[in-house]
Amino acid sequence: MAPSGSRSIKRGCQRVLYWIPVLFIALIVAWSYYAYVLQLCIESIEDTGEKVVYLLAYHVIFIMFVWAYWQTIFTRPMNPLKEFHLSHSDKELLEREDRGESQQEILRRIAKDLPIYTRTNSGAIRFCDRCQLLKPDRCHHCSVCDKCILKMDHHCPWVNNCVGFSNYKFFMLFLAYSLLYCLFITATDLQYFIKFWLNGLPDTQAKFHILFLFFSASMFSVSLASLFIYHCWLVCKNRSTLEAVRAPVFRHGTDKNGFSLGFSKNFRQVFGDEVKYWPVPVFSSSGDGCSFPTCLVNLDPEQPSSPSGSNPTNKTAAEGRQFPSKPLRESQSRLLSSTPSWSESDGAADKDKKGASNPGMTIENEA
């Protein structure tokens, strides 16, 4: 009884400590609001037109920044669906078997009915012992949250949350609007920062807020710019931070570009198809987080049909399965609708080429 009570107290203390970085950011933002609105715009700027323009633009950026930050913090990460969890009978069967190939055979049998294409470095099925489930593609177990997170990018202490499929768009908008927020403050505060050094400001407490506001905004701009550029690169390549560090492993081997569909489709996979929702912190990402279209030439023959669902035979077989009845949303299905499957087009081209170059061999095989 005592050990469980001490563990619960320890977990409670950890939860409180995890909110310290978020509290630090909230205090910095609250002070910046006071310094910019009250000390700079109201107290220091004398021109009414300039004051109104600065305040209007500032509040638009401030609202979008806080909205995106809020969504990143309080949007719960999505976990794998129940179809990826082992049933009670499968758990008992797995526990009875020795660790090794026999367990992998059980996992491979279960994985045949699921849209799973990635493997471990050794080629085994990705299985989470903590959550007792088969990991969907791009899913990883977070040691801080103690859960498997769909399309996990990283656990961010500044938002006290896992950044993954459900809130990656919000995280990108948070970086974008926070960078814009800092750049706007730096640009509009610059002339008054120069006046401070030339003794052109009245000797009030406002000048010290103006000084530190410029320094803090410019320093945050540098760090945010580097982080935002890096994640823009990841979006263009359709990679997560974890996949950039360690490329995903497919049946045919490691492929760092296995999920890349081209810049436009990669971008729409995160931000969605409707342009009007791109700058707004509302969920519009494509797909369900459990299955993703790939650009692989060598598809896994042991797995269900490709997410594009172009093969009618495989489609009929998939309809008989409980999962996935609709593996991709309509918006994600359109990601591959404009381009034919590489394996089908290459296979057809090779077949035509062989038939044209060696008709005798074709007749012999048909006979």
Side-chain angles (χ1 to χ4, degrees), residues 219-348:
M219 287 188 297
F220 274 112
S221 297
V222 175
S223 58
L224 286 169
S226 60
L227 188 60
F228 179 65
I229 292 172
Y230 175 68
H231 277 277
C232 285
W233 177 79
L234 291 178
V235 170
C236 295
K237 297 293 184 180
N238 202 341
R239 299 177 195 168
S240 65
T241 301
L242 295 176
E243 291 166 351
V245 175
R246 179 180 295 177
V249 180
F250 297 87
R251 186 175 179 84
H252 70 278
T254 302
D255 191 345
K256 63 181 180 180
N257 296 316
F259 294 107
S260 180
L261 307 172
F263 169 75
S264 176
K265 294 175 183 178
N266 293 342
F267 182 87
R268 285 190 284 124
Q269 196 173 101
V270 175
F271 288 88
D273 295 319
E274 300 189 55
V275 180
K276 62 182 179 181
Y277 293 126
W278 289 357
V280 185
V282 296
F283 185 83
S284 60
S285 301
S286 301
D288 58 6
C290 290
S291 57
F292 296 90
T294 65
C295 65
L296 303 181
V297 176
N298 300 318
L299 297 179
D300 191 343
E302 295 183 2
Q303 299 304 317
S305 57
S306 63
S308 58
S310 58
N311 192 330
T313 305
N314 292 336
K315 183 179 179 181
T316 304
E319 288 174 353
R321 295 196 303 268
Q322 181 182 359
F323 180 87
S325 59
K326 187 180 180 184
L328 299 177
R329 296 180 183 176
E330 181 182 355
S331 58
Q332 186 169 349
S333 298
R334 289 200 298 269
L335 287 173
L336 296 179
S337 61
S338 60
T339 55
S341 174
W342 288 13
S343 58
E344 292 177 2
S345 59
D346 290 351

Side-chain angles (χ1 to χ4, degrees), residues 25 61 64-72 153-154 156 158-159 163 167-183 220-235 241 271 279 281:
I25 295 296
I61 299 172
M64 298 303 293
F65 160 54
V66 173
W67 186 8
Y69 190 44
W70 179 276
Q71 289 285 70
T72 308
D153 188 88
H154 68 288
C156 181
W158 300 107
V159 300
V163 177
N167 61 350
Y168 188 66
K169 176 194 172 183
F170 305 148
F171 179 74
M172 288 295 299
L173 291 178
F174 159 63
L175 293 180
Y177 286 125
S178 58
L179 176 60
L180 182 61
Y181 180 77
C182 292
L183 290 176
F220 274 112
S221 297
V222 175
S223 58
L224 286 169
S226 60
L227 188 60
F228 179 65
I229 292 172
Y230 175 68
H231 277 277
C232 285
W233 177 79
L234 291 178
V235 170
T241 301
F271 288 88

